Amino acid sequence: MSTGPLIVLVGPMGSGKSTVGALLAERLSAPYRDTDADIVAAEGREISDIFVEDGEEYFRALEREAVRAAVAEHTGVLALGGGAVLDAGTRALLTGLPVAYLSMDVEEAVRRVGLNTARPLLAVNPRRQWRELMEARRPLYTEVARVVVATDDKTPEEVADAVLDALELKKK
């Protein structure tokens, strides 16, 4: 029996990793885990508060450890935070795993999350910052992904179906 997650979801904030991840877990009769939720639970505060109070570097250290633990322990569907792929060690951990990159364009991001200031990296000029983040991260998402699933104009159910089809996993 293989170890490690059945599916790992990566992609930008608002791409639907949490929603699609929960649907995939349900369809595969598998547990669901989100590394951002792990960090919030461990720290007892929201990610935006961690950024403001302790800075991005501190958060990224928490994120590296959360991803390492989840990849080692979790056997279901795993969603990673949008910036987890920035770490070379994290990218190395994902090598060989069934990683799906949920992609979307800036217009879809605006529609879904409104690019609001609750997202700490988008506090000033959110459209430009989102584009800059994606320019830096898109090659990293692509590097770790076995499959890329565009989420633009798709329901979470359609995205979940596309991930299962792309990874050739059976629906229950």
Side-chain angles (χ1 to χ4, degrees):
M1 174 148 184
S2 70
T3 60
L6 282 173
I7 300 172
V8 179
L9 298 176
V10 299
M13 59 192 89
S15 63
K17 297 180 302 286
S18 298
T19 302
V20 170
L23 281 171
L24 288 167
E26 182 180 312
R27 291 182 186 183
L28 295 169
S29 298
Y32 170 70
R33 185 167 176 177
D34 181 323
T35 57
D36 279 352
D38 290 351
I39 293 166
V40 168
E43 288 287 303
R45 55 193 172 141
E46 294 301 315
I47 290 171
S48 56
D49 294 334
I50 297 169
F51 265 82
V52 169
E53 294 164 16
D54 296 303
E56 183 175 4
E57 188 175 323
Y58 178 78
F59 171 76
R60 296 295 174 205
L62 295 174
E63 184 173 55
R64 276 191 299 280
E65 180 52 30
V67 171
R68 188 205 58 73
V71 167
E73 303 162 0
H74 190 65
T75 57
V77 177
L78 177 63
L80 303 188
V85 297
L86 295 171
D87 181 70
T90 293
R91 293 193 308 277
L93 275 178
L94 299 176
T95 301
L97 295 179
V99 178
Y101 162 29
L102 303 185
S103 70
M104 67 181 190
D105 64 24
V106 70
E107 289 74 22
E108 188 76 1
V110 169
R111 190 178 69 72
R112 290 189 190 175
V113 296
L115 299 181
N116 62 42
T117 56
R119 306 286 185 162
L121 293 178
L122 300 177
V124 179
N125 195 343
R127 276 181 191 260
R128 188 187 82 226
Q129 287 180 293
W130 192 88
R131 281 192 179 98
E132 289 172 2
L133 281 175
M134 283 308 299
E135 284 173 20
R137 294 177 181 181
R138 188 176 291 111
L140 303 177
Y141 292 138
T142 303
E143 174 188 326
V144 301
R146 186 177 296 173
V147 299
V148 178
V149 175
T151 65
D152 302 303
D153 301 318
K154 290 190 177 107
T155 67
E157 293 77 13
E158 290 168 333
V159 174
D161 286 342
V163 169
L164 291 172
D165 290 345
L167 289 173
E168 299 177 351
L169 293 169
K170 294 185 174 38
K171 304 168 199 141
K172 299 220 178 194

